[in-house]
Amino acid sequence: MAALLLLPLLLLLPLLLLKLHLWPQLRWLPADLAFAVRALCCKRALRARALAAAAADPEGPEGGCSLAWRLAELAQQRAAHTFLIHGSRRFSYSEAERESNRAARAFLRALGWDWGPDGGDSGEGSAGEGERAAPGAGDAAAGSGAEFAGGDGAARGGGAAAPLSPGATVALLLPAGPEFLWLWFGLAKAGLRTAFVPTALRRGPLLHCLRSCGARALVLAPEFLESLEPDLPALRAMGLHLWAAGPGTHPAGISDLLAEVSAEVDGPVPGYLSSPQSITDTCLYIFTSGTTGLPKAARISHLKILQCQGFYQLCGVHQEDVIYLALPLYHMSGSLLGIVGCMGIGATVVLKSKFSAGQFWEDCQQHRVTVFQYIGELCRYLVNQPPSKAERGHKVRLAVGSGLRPDTWERFVRRFGPLQVLETYGLTEGNVATINYTGQRGAVGRASWLYKHIFPFSLIRYDVTTGEPIRDPQGHCMATSPGEPGLLVAPVSQQSPFLGYAGGPELAQGKLLKDVFRPGDVFFNTGDLLVCDDQGFLRFHDRTGDTFRSLLSDRWKGENVATTEVAEVFEALDFLQEVNVYGVTVPGHEGRAGMAALVLRPPHALDLMQLYTHVSENLPPYARPRFLRLQESLATTETFKQQKVRMANEGFDPSTLSDPLYVLDQAVGAYLPLTTARYSALLAGNLRI
């Protein structure tokens, strides 16, 4: 009888929910529940791995940091399974473990360890547990037959540089390839920090990055030596160990690290060398640019490495999948999500040093690729390619990444499907990420209460004119309404920390917001504006501050460029008086192209040749402005701030602007007048910028 009385209420429930505006979101409840279960299972599995490592024998490799013990675990559980495919070379998980062990021993020798003639595998001379040195301590005492030799590795590490000390930072300036991985893993096993340096950096920006992370050594690719020659005196003056990752005729003081690595035995190193005192200890630096100028060294913790092991599990990828990765490894998307995420599930990764749209589908056919990790421009490259037979016979079922525009998304799926697209959002230094696990076109994630319970975040009202969140009379921030752009923020906690950047606290200025919803709370400020619709889908709206996401005509898209850094380079030219740098949209391209408005210093004239030479020597390719606008004076706000938004909206159309305009012609290698003909050629895709 009670059931019969409840039946009408149950029938009226959908109408009630509709009236309360909840029904549009609840229609996605099954998908939200399924993802929540997957996320909880992933968290539980990662926690179990961390507990197992903590309980493992500290003398064994399983007792090391999260990266070291996961690789050791895979080398036992999936020893023969292919981990890495790079060109014609293949490496199993067992081979990856051995190669990284060699690298770890080479770095430990540079620390002053002496493994003895047999590499210490016999275990003779091991110290007792009470004699072990804590990670990061100055005394790398003993273990597995190794003895501290008081600086024996100094001569091998590059001339007059001081011996490396435990916990030191070693920078990698290398292209994507197996050697990058073995050296990175080896550094982790040796208890050293790694810094991933963007390969395009030279001169001032390169030296700044090395100083900011406190690097004591630099490993560089032999093919970069010619372009780095002007920097070598400054690098030596910094007292860096200088290694080349490969053979060749190297300048004095630079030795072949790979030769030293190959001379080592491949036995495991003690886990306690890399075991952190706290899981939030920094183990890696990844450089990210923001609104404060030059690239900043974001601190990556052991906790973040552990969390990234769950990335592909969250995306529904399995250990028998084959992942195609053609992203730079010095970016989080390539190294942490791509490589570490692959290790998290024990799958196979096809690693490409460069992306080739013409070769992509043939590669997928050859290696039976099932998962493609993208950034938006790669998908645009593919849909702009002429049709081929290989694109229809592939086995790719899933594309995972970020920055895919809705129009390219639709063309990509329609042409290359059936496949699923999982668009994601995240920041290198951030403590929040979203995944569009439903595949809803144009969305970067969901704001369901289930998702926010597991991965908490909020959208708050933001004043674009003041650059600050809007607060109520009590001083607290206010949540946005559906359809209203809001600043994405996430609570800072022990489980979701914000570690900031190497250097002074001023580098993190503005990244933390206090008293957001209640007195004393602290939230991470992503600096991004997102919109949540009435169904709970999140869509990216815009970035705040003086940063634009660069487009590059010939290589990787998605670099964040700080306009202040570019402006400082321009202002070093004596014929320029004022500079305003901003990003402009270019039809048919992702992101924004850099544009610089210039005011000449009387009585100087504009020297385009000197300007191009100066810019190309002092800025990486992705940061070089594609357009110049010569003005009598710069437009400013009533508070004397440069007008960036208005200038960006005015664009670079010579038919609507009276100011002299110039465009960077990559083929010619010069800034040329932007005529109507060149403007038309650019829009038609015939002018390469």
Side-chain angles (χ1 to χ4, degrees), residues 286-321:
I286 296 181
F287 289 92
T288 176
S289 58
T291 59
T292 57
L294 290 165
K296 295 183 290 188
R299 297 180 180 273
I300 306 299
S301 67
H302 293 276
L303 174 62
K304 190 146 195 168
I305 296 287
L306 178 64
Q307 291 170 336
C308 288
Q309 290 183 26
F311 173 69
Y312 271 122
Q313 183 178 345
L314 288 175
C315 295
V317 182
H318 311 293
Q319 64 180 12
E320 298 307 322
D321 277 311

Side-chain angles (χ1 to χ4, degrees), residues 316-318 321 369-371 394-399 418-421:
V317 182
H318 311 293
D321 277 311
V369 172
T370 57
V371 178
H394 65 82
K395 296 185 179 296
V396 178
R397 64 175 181 84
L398 182 64
L419 55 80
Q420 183 184 8
V421 173

Side-chain angles (χ1 to χ4, degrees), residues 321-406:
D321 277 311
V322 178
I323 302 166
Y324 192 94
L325 182 64
L327 304 178
L329 294 182
Y330 57 77
H331 276 179
M332 175 182 172
S333 55
S335 54
L336 300 192
L337 301 185
I339 298 298
V340 176
C342 175
M343 293 171 60
I345 57 174
T348 298
V349 62
V350 178
L351 180 64
K352 304 290 290 187
S353 298
K354 294 182 179 180
F355 178 77
S356 170
Q359 186 68 30
F360 174 78
W361 292 112
E362 292 183 13
D363 286 343
C364 290
Q365 292 266 23
Q366 177 184 354
H367 301 299
R368 303 177 70 83
V369 172
T370 57
V371 178
F372 167 43
Q373 186 175 338
Y374 67 83
I375 54 175
E377 278 294 87
L378 302 189
C379 298
R380 189 178 69 84
Y381 286 153
L382 292 173
V383 297
N384 288 339
Q385 286 289 302
S388 67
K389 292 181 179 179
E391 72 183 49
R392 300 307 306 170
H394 65 82
K395 296 185 179 296
V396 178
R397 64 175 181 84
L398 182 64
V400 181
S402 59
L404 184 57
R405 292 194 321 197

Side-chain angles (χ1 to χ4, degrees), residues 248-564:
T249 304
H250 304 320
I254 301 180
S255 58
D256 180 3
L257 177 59
L258 296 190
E260 299 178 22
V261 169
S262 64
E264 300 289 347
V265 298
D266 60 10
V269 298
Y272 67 82
L273 292 173
S274 63
S275 179
Q277 294 181 358
S278 170
I279 199 167
T280 57
D281 287 349
T282 300
C283 63
L284 173 66
Y285 296 106
I286 296 181
F287 289 92
T288 176
S289 58
T291 59
T292 57
L294 290 165
K296 295 183 290 188
R299 297 180 180 273
I300 306 299
S301 67
H302 293 276
L303 174 62
K304 190 146 195 168
I305 296 287
L306 178 64
Q307 291 170 336
C308 288
Q309 290 183 26
F311 173 69
Y312 271 122
Q313 183 178 345
L314 288 175
C315 295
V317 182
H318 311 293
Q319 64 180 12
E320 298 307 322
D321 277 311
V322 178
I323 302 166
Y324 192 94
L325 182 64
L327 304 178
L329 294 182
Y330 57 77
H331 276 179
M332 175 182 172
S333 55
S335 54
L336 300 192
L337 301 185
I339 298 298
V340 176
C342 175
M343 293 171 60
I345 57 174
T348 298
V349 62
V350 178
L351 180 64
K352 304 290 290 187
S353 298
K354 294 182 179 180
F355 178 77
S356 170
Q359 186 68 30
F360 174 78
W361 292 112
E362 292 183 13
D363 286 343
C364 290
Q365 292 266 23
Q366 177 184 354
H367 301 299
R368 303 177 70 83
V369 172
T370 57
V371 178
F372 167 43
Q373 186 175 338
Y374 67 83
I375 54 175
E377 278 294 87
L378 302 189
C379 298
R380 189 178 69 84
Y381 286 153
L382 292 173
V383 297
N384 288 339
Q385 286 289 302
S388 67
K389 292 181 179 179
E391 72 183 49
R392 300 307 306 170
H394 65 82
K395 296 185 179 296
V396 178
R397 64 175 181 84
L398 182 64
V400 181
S402 59
L404 184 57
R405 292 194 321 197
D407 56 340
T408 304
W409 189 327
E410 184 175 356
R411 294 170 60 197
F412 186 82
V413 173
R414 183 172 64 247
R415 177 171 170 180
F416 304 123
L419 55 80
Q420 183 184 8
V421 173
L422 286 187
E423 177 81 355
T424 66
Y425 167 87
L427 297 173
T428 301
E429 70 273 43
N431 66 343
V432 59
T434 64
I435 299 177
N436 180 9
Y437 46 83
T438 66
Q440 182 80 353
R441 198 157 300 168
V444 299
R446 294 272 296 148
S448 70
W449 66 271
L450 274 172
Y451 189 96
K452 293 169 72 173
H453 178 72
I454 303 173
F455 306 108
F457 66 86
S458 297
L459 294 182
I460 59 175
R461 290 182 173 175
Y462 181 82
D463 188 335
V464 295
T465 59
T466 64
E468 296 290 338
I470 300 174
R471 295 181 181 261
D472 62 19
Q474 287 72 43
H476 297 148
C477 297
M478 298 179 286
T480 58
S481 302
E484 178 186 4
L487 180 66
L488 178 64
V489 297
V492 175
S493 65
Q494 189 174 4
Q495 294 75 32
S496 301
F498 169 64
L499 300 182
Y501 312 94
E506 69 278 1
L507 295 176
Q509 185 176 0
K511 286 295 184 181
L512 294 179
L513 299 175
K514 297 182 179 179
D515 305 327
V516 174
F517 294 117
R518 58 181 59 89
D521 64 12
V522 180
F523 278 65
F524 172 71
N525 175 8
T526 65
D528 287 329
L529 301 177
L530 276 67
V531 176
C532 180
D533 63 20
D534 60 355
Q535 297 187 59
F537 287 102
L538 293 168
R539 286 175 168 79
F540 186 84
H541 181 72
D542 206 354
R543 292 188 67 86
T544 64
D546 296 338
T547 301
F548 63 89
R549 191 172 290 274
S550 169
L551 64 83
L552 291 79
S553 57
D554 56 349
R555 295 225 31 207
W556 311 113
K557 307 298 185 286
E559 297 279 0
N560 292 330
V561 179
T563 58
T564 51

